[in-house]
Amino acid sequence: MQDRFEFGHVARVPAPQDNVAIATRRLEAGTVVTDGDGEFHLPHTILEGHRFVREPVAAGTRLTSWGLPFGIASRALGPGEYVCNAKILSALAARDIDFELPAAANFTDTVEIYRLDEASFTPGRQVDPADSGATFDGFRRPGGRGVGTRNFVVVLATTSRTNGFVRRVAEKAAAPAGVDGVVAVTHTEGGGTGRPNNLDHLLRVLAGFMVHPNVGAVLAADEGTGAYTNDDVRRFMEHRNYPLDHVPHAFFRIERGHDEEVARASALIDAWLPEVAGARRTPEPAGALRLALQCGGSDAFSGVSGNALAGWVAKEVIRHGGSANLAETDELIGAEPYVLENVRDAATARRFLEKIESFKRYAANHGTTAEGNPSGGNNFRGLYNIALKSLGAARKKDPEVRLDYVIDYGQPMRPPGYYFMDSPGNDLESIAGQVAAGSNLILFITGNGSITNFPFVPTLKFVTTTGRFELLAQEMDVNAGRYNDGMEMNALGAETFELALDIASGQRSKGELAGHAQVSVWRDWPRTGTEGLDAVRRRPVPNGRPITVRDAASFDLEFDGVPTGSGFASDQVALVMPTSLCSGQVARLIAEDLDANPPPWSDVSRFVALVHTEGCGSNNAAELFLDTLAGHLAHRCVRHAVLLEHGCEQTHNDAVRRHLTARGLVPDRFGWASVQMDGGIASVRAKVARQLESMAADRASRTPAGRSADADSDVVRPRTCGPGSARVGPTSPPPSQTAPETARFRGGAGRTTIGADQLRLSLVSDGPLPDSTGKAFGRLAIGLVASGATVVVPNGAGLVDNQGFCTAVFPGGTVPDASLAFGHPASEDGFHIMETQSANPAETFTGLGGTGVDLMLCHIGRNPLQGHPMLPLVQVTADPMVAERYGSDLDRVLAPEWGTPECVTALVTLVADVASCRYRPKLWARGVTEFQLARGRLGLSM
């Protein structure tokens, strides 16, 4: 029997003149829809949020939502037909769906060019002031810093090179009553060399964070190296009159060993805490609110319910004399007529359009278009193209509200009013700019159920449909779907405005209660023009074959390895791998909990999450990310792995499955989970634990009694091998010792003594490297290759630029081209050079992890580095000054009087001890690690 529904019960039309409708539930093929006096049937199944034709449409006619066009009918369309472009058919085909799709697209995308008619321009009018003054309890800050909704101490990484340091400082702090917390703010930027293209953005963001009204005190940490330093931040703030003198602060430079500097920074924070705790909330006008209006994981109902509700609340804040900040430039392309219906003056309208055009050029410089923004999750939930996404996103500006100001990314909001801030569509990167601009409350609208939060500004999450709210009730604050269900917008808006005042007054949001947050700043982009674009696209792909090196005598090197199905590994871990930035913090919570409280079924030494900032909100970077992810999943040290999607990203679980299959991996080897579709954080945590337990049980059931030297080796339970665990072991030997202390570090049962032919090692150098030390590293490399080992060296600055290394390794001394792509496994033993994507060591180490190396040995010529979370980073130096300053963090000092044989012997011994888990590198053992994915030569934020 056919289903039969009244139109109003199964569909919505954003504007009366629209010729297509949005399905409010899944409608099966054959369903009959009655509409007024007529009826029509649906020839195809239509998903919730997807569109179907409401009235006959002639070929060439514009298809509209909210009265504005998003496509052109490619043929005549009848009522009930599934509205679909080529992209949505491709996106649905990539999913595990259970119904037949239309055979072909029936419309093409359109984004109409908007032209400002200045001759007939009429200045807009702002909403009338409120009759009565609403208030909230906030922290009034001196120096014009505004009113805080929270009271935090922030430990800020000036560049990404100090991320691990600020985390350690924040972890050691104990916030007293009256202080909301001591939080680390980390990011991906500034870890390379040379002036980045996004430097102005970075300086504005760092400056804005430091004087933000939610910050009671701030410590900004740098190393004096990287693309910029604290000196640059200080000068920037002084020249632009940021009220830095009105917040307790320190520009902190790391100049000695890690523990010593953590203690020094902690002492500064402890001295501030009484003053910060003394701040008191006082009644403040609602006009002191500065809202960040943000959307993520959008769906077809975002513009109908969630964004419209946020726009209503923003209107009320502006009526009370406050401010609101609309952002995400690429997500307003196609919505220009709506945004500029009500604008302060022609100059503001021109500036808005200039930002749109500038973003289009930014995309074109990298060989793409800004119209490519919608993610796979957006597509799946009914946003077919950028026009539809933009038309809905623009509803965060209520029609009655006037656009007052257009500002750059992170530029401070000064007078009250409604702002547009230039930013990418990447949610987290956009939010960072809004917070730096002064936003003290974030309204985050989500259709799929995005769960992200910011560390020191509360996030109020609106979900667009009742069904999705019920699925994720523990993560969402507001069910905007009640508007779809019949609740009046004025009633829903008034209720939400009161909730916003309560949250601003100190009531914890769902995200704050969940205890996770993250920051991403608008990432650097590699190109500023189109010249040479074709040459970048035509770059040859490394062939994967090992490179010929000089002959050498083999080493008598043995280490204790763990047998696996594909050889021997130095360790066995369980990996919780987030498929995007938005599931990263949940993956971290899961892995940290399992690692701190190892369950009885555990057969690994560690539980690891590789938290990152990719997988969504970028373009031209997905393949590089997926290749690196696949390399880590294929790593011999990964005994079990679960892939954790957020649910609305570009690289969702289905996309990852296809990529793994194409790379020769079997997806069924791994577990799969979804933060959104599995019902939120608590549910997915339990699911991941169950999957890992099932994998361990399955492995144990396939192990014959007494068998240990195969793929089902004995458990590796003693937890002494990984970074940041409770048992760090004795203090590592002073640099003067010629051999590391090794007696107390065993990685567990089931180990077998094996030779160098099972070793995979990366050799790296950062900073100045004496030719004599480069020669020793070269002799180590060719000796290991002669012994059957695999050695991987990154290209770019470092060893391959050192004459001593190159002369020792390469016949003729000439450096060959890279043999491995970034993050690709080395499928053949021997010597390899991995192609790097930047000068950032954290990105390089992440790529090396994907090649399959067991550990990394790095010569330090400047500051010690952050290691890889999954794989040990061993740090040595031949520089007496580096040794004197950072000796407590280094694993070996190569004495000046040693010749090449002595250096090589010391390094061979050290490598064997680390590979055997007899010795853990010092900084790595303290958890000073970072996992940062590269975006390549054409990757950019969108």
Side-chain angles (χ1 to χ4, degrees):
M1 181 176 177
Q2 292 178 326
D3 291 329
R4 180 178 291 272
F5 298 103
E6 292 183 14
F7 179 85
H9 292 166
V10 296
R12 262 196 176 274
V13 180
Q17 66 268 39
D18 291 345
N19 51 16
V20 302
I22 304 170
T24 57
R25 52 164 290 175
R26 173 170 166 155
L27 299 172
E28 301 300 329
T31 295
V32 175
V33 178
T34 61
D35 189 5
D37 296 331
E39 66 178 37
F40 52 85
H41 83 282
L42 307 181
H44 292 94
T45 296
I46 297 175
L47 292 173
E48 179 189 45
H50 289 237
R51 285 168 166 79
F52 61 89
V53 180
R54 187 182 188 189
E55 60 189 43
V57 174
T61 300
R62 301 192 311 173
L63 303 180
T64 61
S65 269
W66 290 281
L68 293 171
F70 67 87
I72 304 294
S74 52
R75 59 173 176 80
L77 303 176
E81 286 202 59
Y82 201 154
V83 175
C84 52
N85 59 0
K87 184 175 183 181
I88 201 64
L89 291 179
S90 175
L92 292 177
R95 297 277 187 163
D96 184 16
I97 58 173
D98 59 357
F99 59 91
E100 183 179 352
L101 293 170
N106 54 28
F107 82 90
T108 56
D109 297 342
T110 185
V111 177
E112 298 192 353
I113 302 299
Y114 177 85
R115 290 180 173 82
L116 180 67
D117 184 359
E118 296 199 40
S120 61
F121 178 84
T122 301
R125 181 176 180 273
Q126 193 54 280
V127 290
D128 293 330
D131 294 331
S132 58
T135 64
F136 71 99
D137 293 337
F139 297 95
R140 173 68 60 176
R141 304 297 190 186
R145 290 174 56 213
V147 176
T149 59
R150 294 293 183 269
N151 188 31
F152 278 98
V153 173
V154 168
V155 192
L156 175 63
T158 301
T159 75
S160 61
R161 295 176 76 103
T162 56
N163 285 350
F165 178 83
V166 302
R167 289 191 194 103
R168 282 289 308 280
V169 173
E171 288 166 2
K172 291 177 72 66
V179 178
D180 289 306
V182 178
V183 294
V185 173
T186 63
H187 55 89
T188 60
E189 300 306 290
T193 58
R195 179 189 171 95
N197 290 320
N198 66 343
L199 181 59
D200 288 344
H201 292 357
L202 294 172
L203 295 175
R204 281 196 296 268
V205 165
L206 295 171
F209 285 178
M210 292 188 73
V211 299
H212 193 278
N214 284 13
V215 176
V218 57
L219 182 145
D222 80 346
E223 294 181 331
T225 58
Y228 55 89
T229 69
N230 274 339
D231 297 336
D232 299 299
V233 179
R234 189 202 304 268
R235 281 192 297 269
F236 181 88
M237 297 182 75
E238 289 173 349
H239 291 166
R240 289 159 182 79
N241 298 315
Y242 280 82
L244 185 59
D245 291 340
H246 295 278
V247 57
H249 69 278
F251 288 102
F252 186 94
R253 180 149 296 167
I254 302 166
E255 298 178 320
R256 308 293 297 181
H258 181 80
D259 289 349
E260 180 181 345
E261 295 294 68
V262 167
R264 187 164 67 93
S266 298
L268 289 172
I269 290 172
D270 289 343
W272 292 332
L273 286 174
E275 178 182 351
V276 178
R280 294 291 180 266
R281 290 185 182 269
T282 55
E284 301 290 345
L289 289 177
R290 295 188 176 101
L291 300 180
L293 305 175
Q294 190 64 217
C295 57
S298 300
D299 70 357
F301 300 103
S302 292
V304 175
S305 60
N307 289 338
L309 176 59
W312 196 102
V313 175
K315 177 175 68 175
E316 196 67 10
V317 168
I318 288 171
R319 290 180 66 236
H320 283 80
S323 301
N325 184 308
L326 175 69
E328 300 179 289
T329 306
D330 48 328
E331 297 187 5
L332 294 173
I333 294 172
E336 296 94 337
Y338 174 79
V339 174
L340 297 180
E341 274 182 347
N342 188 4
V343 61
R344 183 185 188 93
D345 51 36
T348 302
R350 283 196 301 272
R351 185 161 166 78
F352 174 79
L353 294 173
E354 286 166 3
K355 291 300 181 187
I356 295 287
E357 291 307 309
S358 176
F359 202 98
K360 290 179 180 179
R361 290 192 298 272
Y362 156 82
N365 290 341
H366 298 83
T368 187
T369 66
E371 287 85 349
N373 169 287
S375 71
N378 295 150
N379 295 153
F380 192 61
R381 295 279 291 170
L383 297 180
Y384 301 170
N385 57 27
I386 189 59
L388 276 178
K389 189 171 184 180
S390 295
L391 294 174
R395 262 53 196 179
K396 294 191 287 292
K397 175 184 171 295
D398 188 274
E400 298 178 26
V401 170
R402 182 183 69 191
L403 174 62
D404 291 314
Y405 307 104
V406 174
I407 59 176
D408 289 323
Y409 182 77
Q411 182 180 343
M413 294 183 284
R414 302 296 190 193
Y418 196 93
Y419 286 77
F420 166 74
M421 183 196 76
D422 185 32
S423 84
N426 182 303
D427 316 334
L428 296 179
E429 294 182 13
S430 183
I431 287 172
Q434 291 176 306
V435 170
S439 297
N440 53 12
L441 182 64
I442 301 164
L443 305 187
F444 192 101
I445 301 86
T446 178
N448 286 273
S450 293
I451 59 153
T452 55
N453 304 290
F454 194 83
F456 59 85
V457 177
T459 301
L460 196 59
K461 287 192 275 290
F462 301 12
V463 70
T464 63
T465 59
T466 296
R468 192 53 65 115
F469 179 84
E470 291 172 347
L471 180 66
L472 296 166
Q474 297 305 309
E475 323 302 338
M476 301 292 118
D477 298 279
V478 177
N479 177 13
R482 288 178 291 168
Y483 174 71
N484 303 334
D485 304 335
M487 187 174 183
E488 292 292 329
M489 181 58 75
N490 286 342
L492 184 56
E495 175 191 298
T496 306
F497 178 66
E498 291 300 319
L499 176 60
L501 294 176
D502 289 341
I503 296 293
S505 298
Q507 178 180 317
R508 296 300 187 205
S509 68
K510 293 285 184 67
E512 289 176 298
L513 293 172
H516 65 90
Q518 63 195 115
V519 176
S520 287
V521 181
W522 192 340
R523 288 196 71 173
D524 194 19
W525 53 92
R527 300 183 57 81
T528 58
T530 58
E531 184 179 355
L533 185 59
D534 288 341
V536 174
R537 289 169 165 162
R538 292 196 302 267
R539 283 177 64 91
V541 177
N543 58 30
R545 293 192 292 271
I547 292 167
T548 300
V549 296
R550 292 185 184 277
D551 293 333
S554 61
F555 293 139
D556 185 18
L557 182 152
E558 293 182 334
F559 71 100
D560 298 334
V562 182
T564 74
S566 54
F568 287 80
S570 64
D571 198 5
Q572 291 281 268
V573 305
L575 177 62
V576 184
M577 186 70 220
T579 68
S580 74
L581 66 168
C582 294
S583 56
Q585 293 304 313
V586 180
R588 177 186 60 80
L589 291 173
I590 295 169
E592 286 181 352
D593 181 58
L594 291 170
D595 208 55
N597 306 284
W601 46 262
S602 173
D603 59 352
V604 296
S605 72
R606 293 179 286 136
F607 293 85
V608 178
L610 299 179
V611 181
H612 58 84
T613 61
E614 296 307 306
C616 205
S618 63
N619 209 332
N620 295 340
E623 285 297 306
L624 191 64
F625 160 54
L626 289 171
D627 285 345
T628 309
L629 179 149
H632 283 83
L633 290 170
H635 200 287
R636 293 181 192 176
C637 82
V638 176
R639 190 175 180 89
H640 313 300
V642 175
L643 289 105
L644 179 64
E645 70 170 10
H646 189 215
C648 55
E649 58 266 73
Q650 292 172 341
T651 52
H652 48 77
N653 278 348
D654 288 341
V656 176
R657 282 190 182 96
R658 292 197 312 276
H659 190 88
L660 296 183
T661 300
R663 290 292 182 268
L665 296 175
V666 180
D668 289 346
R669 278 184 52 196
F670 311 112
W672 302 85
S674 173
V675 176
Q676 292 170 0
M677 299 310 298
D678 288 326
I681 296 174
S683 296
V684 83
R685 289 176 82 157
K687 179 176 181 178
V688 171
R690 288 195 305 271
Q691 289 186 334
L692 290 172
E693 181 178 10
S694 177
M695 292 177 199
D698 180 66
R699 180 68 71 96
S701 70
R702 292 186 285 109
T703 306
R707 185 179 177 188
S708 62
D710 61 6
D712 298 313
S713 62
D714 292 345
V715 297
V716 190
R717 199 182 308 273
R719 310 178 55 72
T720 59
C721 223
S725 59
R727 280 190 271 168
V728 175
T731 302
S732 296
S736 60
Q737 289 187 220
T738 58
E741 182 178 346
T742 61
R744 292 185 53 188
F745 297 99
R746 284 285 177 182
R751 289 185 174 270
T752 300
T753 300
I754 51 178
D757 60 309
Q758 291 293 325
L759 181 68
R760 290 142 309 177
L761 172 70
S762 174
L763 299 178
V764 190
S765 175
D766 186 69
L769 174 67
D771 283 346
S772 59
T773 308
K775 178 181 178 181
F777 268 66
R779 291 286 180 84
L780 173 66
I782 61 176
L784 288 172
V785 169
S787 305
T790 296
V791 176
V792 183
V793 174
N795 69 2
L799 289 174
V800 295
D801 277 354
N802 180 268
Q803 183 176 356
F805 181 83
C806 295
T807 301
V809 173
F810 305 117
T814 301
V815 180
D817 292 335
S819 60
L820 291 179
F822 183 90
H824 273 242
S827 58
E828 296 184 46
D829 296 338
F831 185 92
H832 289 276
I833 297 176
M834 185 196 76
E835 190 175 42
T836 55
Q837 303 294 328
S838 75
N840 188 321
E843 289 188 5
T844 298
F845 294 148
T846 296
L848 290 170
T851 68
V853 297
D854 296 299
L855 67 150
M856 306 169 196
L857 173 64
C858 182
H859 178 270
I860 300 299
R862 286 190 290 253
N863 307 72
L865 300 174
Q866 302 167 120
H868 188 292
M870 195 169 85
L871 306 167
L873 173 65
V874 186
Q875 306 194 57
V876 303
T877 192
D879 186 327
M881 292 184 64
V882 172
E884 191 276 328
R885 296 178 74 176
Y886 303 109
S888 60
D889 297 336
L890 299 172
D891 301 297
R892 179 63 59 249
V893 172
L894 305 177
E897 65 273 16
W898 289 354
T900 298
E902 290 84 0
C903 288
V904 172
T905 298
L907 294 175
V908 167
T909 303
L910 183 56
V911 165
D913 287 333
V914 174
S916 301
C917 279
R918 293 191 293 262
Y919 173 80
R920 289 186 306 154
K922 296 178 185 177
L923 274 184
W924 185 74
R926 296 182 181 97
V928 183
T929 62
E930 189 71 8
F931 187 81
Q932 183 168 317
L933 289 155
R935 284 190 174 169
R937 293 176 176 83
L938 294 176
L940 73 163
S941 298
M942 292 186 69

